[in-house]
Amino acid sequence: MKRTKKIMSLILSVVMLMAFSTSVLAAEPEVLPDDREYLVVNGTDIVRVGEDYENPETGEYVRWDKDARGVDKTFSFKIRYSISSSKFTVHSSKVSVKANAHIEDLKGNTVSGYKGHKYTVSIVGVYARNLQFAVQGKQSGTISGLKKNGSYKVTITNNDYLDATKNLVGSGSVSTL
């Protein structure tokens, strides 16, 4: 009787082990190899070079304008605190950065009373080159000392406080000089 219980217990253990290992294998998604450069955002999200970054949980994004002509890159963004784009190539050692932003509520309505609200647009390579702008229309600045044909990313940082129901929304461009 004891021997039968031990055998049954052993068989049940093997069956359970096989059932658990099968469900674990079934839960793993298939990962396809990809040789393109990538950037890890928020510790988990992989954004490939030249791709948009979207965070469905917060609504934040950086989107590249794929149809832009005559500029290195144009982009649009929506942030609470800070967000970085995927990498892009700069075709000169000096660029013009233009930006325009406003404050929106969670429903997408423009909110007044934030004139002068500060934000920074950075071109980031080995180190960051920053331009500070304010919410009040189109603004521009020049960044030099870049490596021609070097890889950079755009980082937009909200410098001033916004409550949890507001976002900084805007667009910009990086143009060769």
Side-chain angles (χ1 to χ4, degrees):
M1 184 77 166
K2 275 187 174 182
R3 188 171 183 200
T4 306
K5 284 184 179 179
K6 285 183 180 181
I7 291 174
M8 291 301 287
S9 179
L10 181 62
I11 291 172
L12 183 59
S13 296
V14 169
V15 169
M16 293 293 285
L17 182 62
M18 289 175 60
F20 285 129
S21 66
T22 302
S23 65
V24 169
L25 290 176
E28 291 182 18
E30 183 180 347
V31 177
L32 300 173
D34 193 331
D35 293 335
R36 295 177 295 167
E37 279 190 70
Y38 65 91
L39 173 71
V40 176
V41 181
N42 295 334
T44 57
D45 298 329
I46 294 177
V47 180
R48 302 287 176 195
V49 170
E51 290 183 350
D52 298 341
Y53 169 71
E54 309 239 0
N55 185 334
E57 293 177 17
T58 64
E60 294 176 302
Y61 61 81
V62 174
R63 296 178 184 144
W64 293 117
D65 179 0
K66 312 254 188 296
D67 298 325
R69 302 283 182 246
V71 295
D72 287 322
K73 279 295 187 182
T74 60
F75 55 91
S76 58
F77 60 90
K78 177 178 176 181
I79 66 167
R80 288 265 312 115
Y81 305 109
S82 179
I83 198 164
S84 292
S85 72
S86 58
K87 290 183 179 181
F88 67 101
T89 301
V90 171
H91 301 291
S92 174
S93 62
K94 188 174 181 182
V95 296
S96 170
V97 177
K98 296 179 182 175
N100 181 16
H102 61 278
I103 306 300
E104 287 184 0
D105 63 20
L106 296 178
K107 294 180 181 178
N109 301 314
T110 300
V111 179
S112 62
Y114 285 91
K115 186 174 182 177
H117 182 94
K118 304 257 189 265
Y119 64 100
T120 300
V121 177
S122 304
I123 303 297
V124 183
V126 174
Y127 58 93
R129 292 144 176 104
N130 306 316
L131 291 171
Q132 189 172 64
F133 297 123
V135 172
Q136 60 191 23
K138 284 190 177 185
Q139 298 179 332
S140 65
T142 302
I143 292 179
S144 58
L146 303 174
K147 181 180 176 187
K148 185 177 180 179
N149 296 321
S151 288
Y152 294 90
K153 60 184 176 176
V154 173
T155 299
I156 300 109
T157 305
N158 183 14
N159 296 6
D160 291 338
Y161 173 79
L162 284 177
D163 67 46
T165 64
K166 310 284 187 302
N167 290 301
L168 179 68
V169 179
S171 61
S173 66
V174 180
S175 306
T176 299
L177 291 176

